[in-house]
Each structure stands twice: as C-alpha cells, then as structure tokens.
Amino acid sequence: MYEETPRVELTPAAADLLRRLRATHGPLMFHQSGGCCDGSAPMCYPEGEFRTGGSDVLLAELQVEGVAEPVAFWMSRGQYEAWSHTRLIVDVVEGRGSGFSLEAPEGVRFLTRSRVVGA
C-alpha cells in the first residue's frame, strides 16, 4: 500500500543539520522515547548506537538529499500509540537539548512537531 502522506518528514533545516552530522559521524538514526524530559525531542545517534527492540517501532527510513543511506526514525511503542494519528515533522530550534544527541554541541536541537493526519 502506498502512503501519500509520509509518517515522518524533515524541515529543510533538519535535513541540512543531518547532512552536517552525517559528514562528521557517519550513518545516523533517530530514536524518540516517551521520556518526561525530551519526549518531543528525537535523539540523533550514530546508526546502531542506540539499541532498539520489541518496545520500539520503526516509523520511517528518511531519504535525505546528500546522505547516501536512509536515516531510520524509531519511536518507543508507548509514544507511538499516543501519536499514531499524527504526522511527525522533525525540525531544528536554537537551544541545547539532550547531551546524548549528536547535535547538542551545535547549539541547536531537533524537535518533533506533529500534525493530525488528514488536517
């Protein structure tokens, strides 16, 4: 089945940051947990550095122009159940996010915005 509306998309700023991070760190992945502190902030890791399992859902393999391989976007199953009716838009905002996410030293952080599917 072809999905017209992608489940996860990137703003131009997020795609640009991913290109820069890829050049420095190699292949990348996202994981968004349901944690209290950064629940709306996807964490960006070198691919495979964050272990995923049965409690995670692979929402997308993002194609980024200038990045050779797709960037997997994982979400914890509990968070996915709460957000399953939305389209997620990964953006970049100024400010410091989690120290574990690769963009932290850049003075910016990834942020997930959502839009109800069909809206």
Side-chain angles (χ1 to χ4, degrees), residues 15-26:
D16 185 54
L17 181 55
L18 283 173
R19 281 188 283 277
R20 294 193 326 260
L21 292 173
R22 169 58 175 89
T24 303
H25 301 283

Side-chain angles (χ1 to χ4, degrees), residues 29-31 50-56 74:
M29 68 179 287
F30 279 113
H31 186 271
F50 185 92
R51 279 199 119 128
T52 57
S55 63
D56 299 298
W74 293 87

